[in-house]
Amino acid sequence: MGIRVDALKCTGCMACEMACGYHRDDAFALLSSCIVAYRTREKKDYFGVILKEEESLVIARPEGVEVRKIGAAGESGGDSSAKPMLLRESCDLCSGMDAGPMCVRFCPVDAIILE
Ligand code: SF4
Ligand code: SF4
């Protein structure tokens, strides 16, 4: 079981990032989130998310999903935000949350599903 993201639906609202930070810290602590909104300055309306899993970074962009094994050559995880993704905790599917995965629950466009 895991999280799957359809970046073509994503609007870059960051609700998943805030919800995940809340799961981690009981506050809207973006730097604690293991899912972050992804965008580029170069392209208009180009959104997606990066998810840190135990052994990989999942980068969901409009053109598709890329999975990078953590520890692979050249992987820094440092281009997504101020705090590198690799320093963050891995997704635990919101273990202990009665409501289930918070990012799935709060994504307003159902771009994240649990499968
Ligand atoms: S399932 Fe929970 S821990 Fe995993 S990315 Fe979503 S909010 Fe974060
Ligand atoms: S909550 Fe949904 S729409 Fe908003 S950034 Fe996350 S995946 Fe994209």
Side-chain angles (χ1 to χ4, degrees):
M1 190 182 293
I3 297 295
R4 187 164 66 79
V5 179
D6 181 352
L8 289 173
K9 291 183 177 177
C10 178
T11 61
C13 72
M14 296 176 65
C16 54
E17 197 169 336
M18 286 192 280
C20 189
Y22 190 84
H23 160 55
R24 295 296 184 190
D25 276 352
D26 290 333
F28 292 118
L30 296 184
L31 294 182
S32 299
S33 175
C34 54
I35 189 168
V36 301
Y38 177 94
R39 65 183 68 82
T40 67
R41 291 192 180 88
E42 298 77 25
K43 298 181 188 174
K44 193 170 182 289
D45 298 332
Y46 183 95
F47 304 116
V49 301
I50 302 176
L51 171 68
K52 180 169 182 230
E53 295 184 326
E54 196 67 45
E55 296 182 351
S56 57
L57 284 182
V58 178
I59 305 168
R61 303 186 181 96
E63 63 268 32
V65 177
E66 177 186 355
V67 179
R68 295 185 192 172
K69 282 287 178 196
I70 292 174
E75 179 54 74
S76 70
D79 60 352
S80 58
S81 69
K83 184 176 181 181
M85 289 299 287
L86 296 184
L87 296 181
R88 302 181 185 212
E89 292 184 69
S90 302
C91 174
D92 63 0
L93 298 178
C94 286
S95 166
M97 302 291 282
D98 290 341
M102 300 289 276
C103 56
V104 174
R105 185 175 172 86
F106 285 97
C107 177
V109 294
D110 295 328
I112 310 175
I113 62 170
L114 183 67
E115 61 174 14

